[in-house]
């Protein structure tokens, strides 16, 4: 009975290049992410039980790596791994069969093994098979004396091996399932996407669709009001709807808190039977139309309909040209863009992605520029009194020379920086350098006013006003020499906190201007309560006052109203003598624009200033 496991079947395999089976076996082992992980009680319990049942001192879960036996769990041995050859465990893996060695001394090929040197005489090991039939190693028991095994012991060892494999597969699955929805997660998505790409010919196409149930703000609000249980129910319901829509044959992956993805394999196997651009667009439009229909249904019946805005993002991909991570990122972007699209469905647009990547790269590079300082400088754009022609001062404007890209326009980088926390350091840099410049000019006997642009986020920073006031004092510059330009939108957003900061600054004598006036949504009745001194009418109006009668009337009204509320009025973007003339007639106070001068570095500006001061 015992002979089928006996040592006469024992052979050590010669060292040779891995066979295709061995390569796939090693890949299966590595994919489980088990090697070199910490000990785990779930496995140790089985190993202890094995040693006890056999009444032997040593037991182990031994995995066969390319050149070693690594023990996921062990009792009675100090080694965490031993060389693969010569070991009976490697033989179990290679022969894919249970092995019993009654006495190692009878087998000269094992005499050199570490186990034999440790005094081991007896070995019994059952193979650990994955569901796909790969043998990972052995569940083994070892003794210090020769021994025989009974049939009952053999089946016990096989049961223990099966328990080890169940544990391995359970752990593997757990890392791939979302605990709430029970759906395969992002890790599984990546694996399945890679498998699909391996199976398909390079150049064939597919599409990934992503459903996002809610944006982060909505999710946050919903959790606060209705609790986590409600959100879980909302997600379950959304998955049911998706499944009904996509059909049972498709796998839905839970790839983010409120996000689900599905791989649509278009089935075009070969690059040369690709549909034309026309057909592709038709296909996308069809998909978009169907998804809109599903969203409309969700909006009518879903539990989430009152609290969330669900969207779909689609990302077509070409096998071999995109990674799983790329495609997920594209879908993510498209699902976000869909918030602004009719029907809330959007298809990924590579051009948009390039723009996004450039913005991200700019933001990173700008962070470095701020740290180093040598890529940034200020230019000064003269502000001139319209009636006397005298230069009153300037607006400080930030300039950035990127080491590779060259000069980058603030119209491009400021909006990006404004949406990040870097805006705090940016405004601080501009204010600091402006005040230092003002102090140097003051020391040379030149006293003027310089305005600095401040972003909406600055006004709600902690202690923003106090820090500006302290900087003014530190540089010994009179408060009235600094003017802060804020846009209408800035003062309307979170207006209570912004208004508090503005009042503190005004009380310290710092001047305030409302920039880009006419482009926001502010109400004059609200602005009137702000302690501003100056209104700067946006250049989009000024350019056309000589050609468009309605704009001229609008500007005349803005000037009249601002005057009656006590503001000084500046016209931005004066590009021609005709516009300058028209502004005289409209009784504007101050002008700024290319017709008068271009923004200039400090040294050039001061020369210009001295020629234009009374
Ligand atoms: P802004 O504050 O409205 O600044 C006026 C912009 O219009 C400046 O562009 C200026 O060069 C330009 N400009 C002035 N006169 C004319 C003209 O006659 N014709 C034309 N076509 N343009 C004229 P710039 O320097 O490119 O700045 C663009 C925007 O970037 C600024 O608009 C401001 O919002 C922002 N910005 C610039 N520097 C800073 C800064 O230091 N901090 C912050 N937060 N924003 C800044
Ligand atoms: Mg400005
Ligand atoms: Mg402006």
């Amino acid at each position: 009975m015992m002979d089928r496991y006996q040592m006469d079947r024992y052979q050590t395999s010669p060292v040779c290049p891995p066979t295709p089976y061995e390569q796939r076996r090693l890949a299966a082992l590595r994919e489980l992410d088990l090697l070199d992980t910490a000990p785990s009680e779930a496995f140790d319990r089985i190993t202890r039980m094995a040693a006890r049942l056999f009444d032997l001192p040593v037991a182990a879960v031994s995995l066969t790596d390319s050149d070693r036996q690594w023990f996921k769990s062990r009792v009675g041995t100090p080694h965490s791994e031993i060389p693969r050859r010569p070991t009976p465990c490697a033989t179990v893996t290679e022969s894919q069969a249970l092995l019993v060695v009654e006495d190692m001394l009878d087998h000269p090929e094992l005499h050199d093994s570490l186990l034999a040197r440790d005094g081991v005489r007896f070995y019994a090991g059952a193979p650990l098979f994955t569901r796909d039939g790969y043998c990972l190693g052995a569940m083994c028991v070892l003794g210090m004396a020769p021994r025989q095994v009974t049939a009952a012991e053999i089946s016990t060892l096989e049961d223990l091996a099966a328990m080890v494999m169940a544990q391995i597969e359970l752990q593997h699955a757990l890392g791939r399932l979302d605990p709430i929805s029970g759906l395969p997660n992002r890790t599984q998505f990546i694996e399945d996407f890679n498998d699909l790409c391996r199976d398909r010919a390079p150049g064939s196409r597919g599409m990934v669709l992503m459903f996002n149930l809610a944006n982060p703000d909505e999710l946050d609000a919903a959790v606060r009001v209705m609790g986590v249980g409600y959100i879980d129910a909302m997600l379950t319901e959304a998955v049911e709807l998706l499944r009904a829509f996509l059909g049972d044959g498709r796998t839905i992956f839970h790839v983010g808190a409120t996000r689900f993805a599905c791989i649509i394999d278009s089935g075009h196997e070969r690059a040369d039977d690709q549909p034309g651009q026309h057909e592709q667009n038709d296909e996308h439009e069809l998909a978009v139309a169907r998804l809109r229909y599903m969203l409309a249904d969700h909006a009518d019946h879903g539990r989430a309909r009152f609290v969330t805005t669900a969207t779909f993002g689609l990302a077509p991909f070409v096998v071999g040209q995109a990674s799983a991570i790329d495609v997920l990122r594209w879908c993510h972007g498209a699902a976000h863009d869909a918030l602004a699209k009719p029907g809330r469905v959007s298809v990924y647009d590579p051009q948009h992605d390039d723009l996004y990547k450039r913005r991200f790269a700019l933001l990173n590079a700008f962070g470095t520029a701020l740290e180093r300082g040598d890529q940034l400088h200020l230019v000064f754009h003269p502000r001139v009194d319209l009636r006397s022609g005298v230069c009153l001062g300037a607006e400080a404007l930030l300039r950035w020379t990127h080491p590779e890209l060259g000069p980058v326009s603030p119209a491009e980088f400021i909006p990006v920086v404004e949406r990040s926390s870097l805006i705090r350091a940016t405004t601080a840099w501009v204010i600091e350098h402006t005040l230092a410049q003002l102090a140097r000019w003051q020391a040379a006997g030149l006293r003027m006013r310089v305005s600095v642009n401040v972003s909406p986020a600055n006004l709600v920073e902690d202690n923003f006003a106090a820090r500006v006031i302290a900087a003014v004092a530190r540089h010994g510059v009179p408060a009235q020499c600094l003017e802060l330009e804020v846009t209408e939108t800035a003062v309307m957003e979170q207006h209570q906190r912004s208004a508090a900061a503005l009042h503190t600054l005004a009380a310290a004598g710092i001047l305030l201007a409302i920039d880009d006036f006419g482009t926001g949504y502010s109400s004059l009745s609200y602005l009137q309560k702000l302690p501003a001194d100056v209104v700067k009418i946006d250049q989009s109006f000024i350019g056309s006052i000589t050609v468009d009668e309605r704009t001229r009337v609008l500007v005349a009204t803005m000037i009249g109203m601002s005057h009656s509320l006590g503001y000084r009025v500046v016209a931005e973007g004066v590009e021609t003598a005709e516009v300058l003339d028209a502004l005289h007639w409209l009784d504007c106070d101050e002008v700024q624009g290319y017709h008068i001068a271009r923004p200039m570095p400090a040294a050039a500006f001061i020369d210009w200033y001295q020629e234009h001061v009374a």
Side-chain angles (χ1 to χ4, degrees):
M1 168 78 200
M2 280 310 95
D3 54 357
R4 81 187 160 100
Y5 315 112
Q6 292 304 316
M7 205 43 222
D8 51 21
R9 296 194 49 218
Y10 184 86
Q11 287 157 4
T12 40
S13 326
V15 179
C16 48
T19 60
Y21 168 82
E22 174 65 2
Q23 282 172 359
R24 286 198 304 276
R25 189 193 74 77
L26 282 171
L29 175 63
R30 303 229 158 99
E31 213 162 82
L32 289 167
D33 285 330
L34 263 177
L35 292 172
D36 300 307
T37 51
S40 125
E41 179 58 19
F43 291 101
D44 290 350
R45 202 176 287 138
I46 303 175
T47 320
R48 282 197 304 269
M49 201 195 291
R52 224 174 316 151
L53 286 171
F54 281 82
D55 193 20
L56 286 171
V58 185
V61 173
S62 171
L63 303 176
T64 311
D65 196 1
S66 53
D67 54 359
R68 60 176 177 158
Q69 288 298 138
W70 181 80
F71 304 136
K72 173 62 200 166
S73 170
R74 62 199 152 102
V75 289
T77 168
H79 309 294
S80 59
E81 61 180 49
I82 57 175
R84 174 165 168 171
R85 289 190 176 84
T87 58
C89 291
T91 306
V92 172
T93 301
E94 285 151 22
S95 63
Q96 304 177 47
L98 188 129
L99 174 73
V100 177
V101 182
E102 292 183 349
D103 189 352
M104 284 216 199
L105 287 188
D106 296 341
H107 299 275
E109 63 283 15
L110 288 175
H111 289 179
D112 261 356
S113 76
L114 199 61
L115 298 178
R117 275 186 267 143
D118 283 353
V120 171
R121 299 281 292 274
F122 167 80
Y123 174 93
L128 297 168
F129 281 117
T130 65
R131 238 184 265 232
D132 314 342
Y134 293 111
C135 183
L136 304 179
M139 168 76 238
C140 55
V141 285
L142 301 91
M144 300 300 161
R147 187 188 191 282
Q148 290 180 334
V149 283
T150 64
E153 282 175 328
I154 291 295
S155 54
T156 301
L157 197 60
E158 282 171 338
D159 282 348
L160 291 168
M163 280 164 74
V164 167
M165 277 322 294
Q167 185 61 33
I168 287 178
E169 285 181 344
L170 181 72
Q171 278 193 2
H172 183 65
L174 279 184
R176 277 159 172 68
L177 291 181
D178 182 274
I180 294 169
S181 62
L183 293 175
N185 64 11
R186 219 171 88 97
T187 312
Q188 188 66 54
F189 175 91
I190 295 171
E191 237 170 59
D192 286 12
F193 185 87
N194 291 342
D195 284 350
L196 180 109
C197 289
R198 261 194 296 275
D199 288 352
R200 297 280 175 272
S204 49
R205 300 174 318 107
M207 187 153 64
V208 171
L209 66 84
M210 184 183 280
F211 173 74
N212 186 19
L213 182 63
N215 63 49
D217 287 348
E218 289 173 339
L219 182 68
D220 195 46
V223 171
R224 254 192 227 174
V225 179
M226 288 176 287
V228 198
Y230 189 85
I231 306 298
D232 293 351
M234 237 163 59
L235 290 174
T236 310
E237 190 184 80
V239 172
E240 277 165 18
L241 206 71
L242 258 182
R243 198 182 299 289
F245 176 74
L246 294 168
D248 277 341
R250 297 203 195 277
T251 308
I252 299 172
F253 299 87
H254 197 160
V255 292
T258 56
R259 291 172 188 275
F260 301 91
C262 180
I263 306 174
I264 312 280
D265 180 13
S266 67
H268 294 286
E269 294 285 334
R270 299 180 54 79
D272 47 21
D273 95 311
Q274 293 301 294
Q277 190 62 42
H278 251 355
E279 287 156 284
Q280 274 189 38
N281 288 346
D282 285 356
E283 222 172 83
H284 296 170
E285 264 169 39
L286 196 71
V288 167
R290 291 188 62 210
L291 294 173
R292 277 188 189 162
Y293 179 78
M294 192 213 120
L295 280 184
D297 194 36
H298 178 254
D300 282 349
H301 308 295
R303 183 194 290 250
R305 67 188 184 277
F306 301 122
V307 283
T308 69
T309 325
T311 61
F312 266 114
L314 298 179
F317 65 87
V318 177
V319 169
Q321 293 176 19
S323 72
I325 299 283
D326 284 337
V327 177
L328 276 181
R329 188 171 58 78
W330 297 344
C331 278
H332 209 281
H336 182 266
D337 293 348
L339 280 170
K341 292 273 167 71
R344 307 226 188 276
V345 180
S346 172
V347 181
Y348 160 75
D349 170 4
Q351 272 173 349
H352 188 258
D353 194 51
D354 287 347
L355 190 73
Y356 194 82
K357 277 196 197 142
R358 178 174 161 96
R359 286 193 194 140
F360 188 74
L362 277 184
L363 186 61
N364 265 322
F366 189 78
T368 312
L370 264 180
E371 269 167 19
R372 298 171 44 106
D374 60 350
Q375 299 168 19
L376 301 177
H377 73 280
L378 292 177
V379 291
F380 296 87
H381 198 206
R383 282 173 57 176
V384 168
D385 182 271
L386 184 55
R387 295 176 197 94
S388 65
V390 163
C391 180
L392 302 169
E395 174 176 4
L397 295 161
L398 187 55
R399 291 293 175 262
W400 175 27
T401 314
H402 185 286
E404 278 117 43
L405 301 173
V408 186
S409 161
E412 182 177 14
F413 74 80
I414 290 285
V416 179
V417 172
E418 273 181 335
R419 272 181 263 133
S420 80
S421 59
L422 284 184
I423 191 58
R424 182 183 168 131
T426 307
T427 303
W429 191 96
V430 174
I431 292 180
E432 189 60 28
H433 284 75
T434 299
L435 288 171
Q437 188 60 73
L438 276 170
R440 283 196 290 276
W441 285 333
Q442 190 173 273
L446 302 165
R447 186 167 161 163
M448 75 191 82
R449 190 181 67 211
V450 173
S451 60
V452 164
N453 293 285
V454 165
S455 297
N458 297 129
L459 295 179
V460 292
E461 277 173 26
D462 284 341
N463 297 327
F464 174 72
R467 274 183 283 119
V468 175
I469 295 165
V472 168
R474 184 158 31 84
H475 286 279
V477 170
Q480 307 82 301
C481 291
L482 181 66
E483 183 177 291
L484 298 184
E485 297 191 5
V486 295
T487 60
E488 290 173 87
T489 329
V491 289
M492 294 305 287
E493 271 172 27
Q494 309 200 30
H495 57 261
Q496 266 165 350
R497 283 181 73 187
S498 322
L502 294 176
H503 280 285
T504 311
L505 290 161
I510 292 167
L511 299 172
L512 298 174
I514 312 270
D515 200 3
D516 302 345
F517 185 73
T519 56
Y521 304 99
S522 54
S523 75
L524 266 176
S525 68
Y526 173 68
L527 288 184
Q528 178 222 334
K529 294 192 197 124
L530 291 176
D533 307 277
V534 172
V535 163
K536 298 184 80 175
I537 299 178
D538 192 69
Q539 48 180 297
S540 56
F541 300 99
I542 303 300
S544 45
I545 52 170
T546 50
V547 288
D548 181 41
E549 177 58 14
R550 288 172 70 88
T551 312
R552 200 191 61 79
V553 172
L554 198 65
V555 170
T557 314
M558 285 196 247
I559 295 177
M561 258 188 326
S562 301
H563 277 165
S564 58
L565 292 170
Y567 298 123
R568 193 176 159 76
V569 180
V570 181
E572 294 186 301
V574 178
E575 290 186 340
T576 64
E578 293 76 46
V579 168
L580 189 66
D581 197 43
L583 287 166
H584 263 296
W585 287 101
L586 293 175
D587 201 24
C588 185
D589 303 297
E590 232 181 87
V591 284
Q592 199 183 343
Y594 293 173
H595 176 66
I596 296 132
R598 293 264 170 172
M600 293 167 266
F605 167 69
I606 216 64
D607 291 344
W608 194 93
Y609 174 79
Q610 281 173 323
E611 285 166 24
H612 292 83
V613 72

